[in-house]
Amino acid sequence: MSEIKNDHKVPCAYKDLCNGCQFLDLTYGDQISGKIFELSELLKNAEIPYHGKIQFVSAGASHLRDRLDFSLEDGRLGLYRKDKKEITDLEICAQLSPTLQAWLTEFRTLKLPFKKASVRLRVGPNGERGVWLDLANIDIKALLDEKNMLHFLQQRSFVELGQRRKVPTWQGYEFKLKEPEARPWFQTWVNETAVPLFCQVASFTQPSHRANKLICNIIQSWVGKFPQGRVIEFGSGIGNLTIPALASCAHLTACEIDGLSLEGLEKTLERLPASLTSLREKIEIHRGDFQRKLLQDFANFDGALVNPPRSGLMGFLDPLEKMAAEKRPKFFIYMSCFPESMMTDLKRLKNVGYSVNDIKIVDQFPQTSHYEVLALLQRK
């Protein structure tokens, strides 16, 4: 389950300075117990009955992350300190996978002249390197004009700039910015078949390739408990949960607000592995703000798969409260790394006749107070 024994602690030279990890003073076993206890208390306080055992699923106690957002400030590249609003300059980090650590080490040889910036480093499933520099417009212009730094970076990685994720392209004498480009920066899974997911370096994905496989296995297994089900998915993003769910259901309606994410999903569907091309015939994609208003009728679906933002499902659940009990979907699969807002939604689902049949913690964020929760609910 873990790269170290549960009674050991992960060593870190920055543990007294960096605020990135809150639990380095605890053994991994104590972290596991603490997260299970916290989730149990949240369920109890929200008056959500669950009589089973919370399963804790882990890919390891450290070195999982294949992407991380760093802050650059006054020459320091890292994460904020515990004691003051200042950046801890990180040369190494126990959160990073070996391939991401190697990328950080090489990236740090480039001394960026900007006073302040956000930097995302990412490695793809096959070791591809990417960097997203979120800079002020004046700094983006300076970088384009200076040229040498961008040449250095592009010889080593794929580069995206600014909030709009523009791609600098060399025109022979100067750099020009072109529109965002979707590449296979992440992957999902159907059984043991890896499916490349197309997105940007700056796109939201789960943080770890290894931990994500555990999530995909759970989703495919749970959807498979309801053979030939028709599923509506809220927050499909680039398709990380969509693809394993598609493999186990008769039809899936994917709902997402972000246009770039949907472009990535469509590209993923176009380039599915040969053994999975039939999945294209089972999906329908809709774009819209489904937290405000759901245009689809829940009565047309056997189940819902949801992975909402921090704010939770909000208006997505409103139609359920107006439906006859027998017309509501038979099951809900809810995934969230924000257990507090998740409890609010689970309580609403309980009030319209759903009960929690299974709940798991997937520890994507070892050594920190954060964790991913997956819950399977069924209509009574």
Side-chain angles (χ1 to χ4, degrees):
M1 172 174 126
S2 173
E3 295 172 346
I4 65 169
K5 294 180 180 179
N6 285 352
D7 60 350
H8 286 189
K9 300 176 183 178
V10 171
C12 177
Y14 304 97
K15 78 180 186 68
D16 295 326
L17 295 175
C18 178
N19 196 40
C21 296
Q22 300 81 43
F23 288 167
L24 287 166
D25 287 328
L26 299 178
T27 66
Y28 194 48
D30 286 341
Q31 294 177 40
I32 292 170
S33 299
K35 291 180 179 183
I36 291 173
F37 177 77
E38 179 180 284
L39 181 57
S40 299
E41 289 296 293
L42 286 170
L43 289 166
K44 183 172 72 175
N45 294 336
E47 299 180 336
I48 299 167
Y50 179 62
H51 305 294
K53 181 180 179 182
I54 297 174
Q55 184 183 357
F56 193 93
V57 184
S58 172
S62 62
H63 300 96
L64 291 182
R65 295 195 70 117
D66 296 293
R67 66 157 176 86
L68 191 62
D69 294 334
F70 298 90
S71 294
L72 176 70
E73 194 172 277
D74 297 326
R76 296 183 297 272
L77 180 69
L79 305 174
Y80 278 100
R81 291 174 58 118
K82 291 180 177 179
D83 56 346
K84 54 185 173 181
K85 196 172 176 61
E86 185 179 286
I87 300 300
T88 306
D89 196 33
L90 297 179
E91 293 185 3
I92 59 172
C93 177
Q95 288 286 347
L96 308 188
S97 67
T99 49
L100 187 57
Q101 177 62 61
W103 179 207
L104 172 63
T105 299
E106 185 164 358
F107 182 82
R108 286 179 58 87
T109 64
L110 178 64
K111 302 301 180 184
L112 294 172
F114 312 115
K115 184 173 178 61
K116 195 170 185 178
S118 294
V119 178
R120 171 173 292 180
L121 299 183
R122 181 190 286 277
V123 289
N126 298 311
E128 312 92 329
R129 291 176 171 182
V131 57
W132 172 39
L133 298 174
D134 191 6
L135 304 166
N137 288 338
I138 191 171
D139 290 332
I140 291 176
K141 184 179 186 307
L143 191 64
L144 295 172
D145 291 342
E146 192 272 341
K147 301 182 180 65
N148 290 330
M149 289 183 190
L150 276 178
H151 281 307
F152 176 93
L153 285 172
Q154 289 192 328
Q155 288 166 5
R156 293 159 175 81
S157 66
F158 186 79
V159 182
E160 296 174 3
L161 297 178
Q163 284 288 303
R164 298 178 65 185
R165 312 174 189 181
K166 292 294 187 75
V167 179
T169 306
W170 182 244
Q171 302 293 313
Y173 58 96
E174 66 176 353
F175 279 103
K176 293 288 187 180
L177 293 177
K178 68 173 186 178
E179 293 303 308
E181 181 178 333
R183 292 188 168 204
W185 287 111
F186 206 59
Q187 64 185 11
T188 188
W189 292 85
V190 173
N191 299 319
E192 295 303 311
T193 300
V195 179
L197 290 174
F198 287 80
C199 60
Q200 286 76 45
V201 178
S203 296
F204 170 80
T205 67
Q206 302 303 325
S208 163
H209 297 306
R210 281 168 51 197
N212 187 59
K213 189 174 189 295
L214 302 175
I215 291 172
C216 296
N217 290 343
I218 294 168
I219 295 299
Q220 185 176 355
S221 171
W222 280 355
V223 175
K225 291 177 181 290
F226 307 90
Q228 298 304 306
R230 300 159 299 162
V231 176
I232 182 168
E233 182 185 14
F234 170 80
S236 60
I238 62 172
N240 186 48
L241 307 184
T242 312
I243 303 299
L246 266 177
S248 291
C249 70
H251 186 271
L252 186 142
T253 299
C255 303
E256 172 60 46
I257 190 173
D258 182 65
L260 281 178
S261 293
L262 290 180
E263 288 177 16
L265 173 56
E266 289 169 350
K267 192 169 183 178
T268 292
L269 291 168
E270 290 171 3
R271 304 191 183 192
L272 285 171
S275 61
L276 299 175
T277 54
S278 62
L279 298 184
R280 297 180 195 138
E281 302 169 7
K282 303 198 298 180
I283 187 171
E284 184 178 338
I285 298 174
H286 293 271
R287 182 181 179 187
D289 187 352
F290 301 97
Q291 280 183 303
R292 291 181 178 271
K293 185 177 182 180
L294 178 66
L295 300 179
Q296 284 69 33
D297 185 351
F298 271 126
N300 294 328
F301 301 97
D302 301 296
L305 170 62
V306 299
N307 182 21
R310 181 190 297 267
S311 51
L313 291 172
M314 299 173 64
F316 181 82
L317 291 178
D318 290 349
L320 279 182
E321 297 167 344
K322 303 171 185 176
M323 295 175 64
E326 67 275 7
K327 291 188 176 182
R328 294 172 184 142
K330 297 175 184 177
F331 69 94
F332 258 78
I333 295 173
Y334 196 124
M335 174 172 155
S336 178
C337 59
F338 304 107
E340 292 81 8
S341 62
M342 181 180 187
M343 293 304 118
T344 300
D345 288 336
L346 293 190
K347 192 166 186 176
R348 290 183 69 188
L349 287 167
K350 182 195 77 169
N351 292 340
V352 293
Y354 290 89
S355 59
V356 178
N357 278 23
D358 198 354
I359 192 162
K360 304 180 191 296
I361 290 174
V362 178
D363 197 23
Q364 298 203 92
F365 317 101
Q367 311 306 319
T368 80
S369 58
H370 306 291
Y371 51 92
E372 200 83 37
V373 183
L374 286 83
L376 171 63
L377 300 92
Q378 283 188 252
R379 191 185 72 202
K380 296 176 183 177

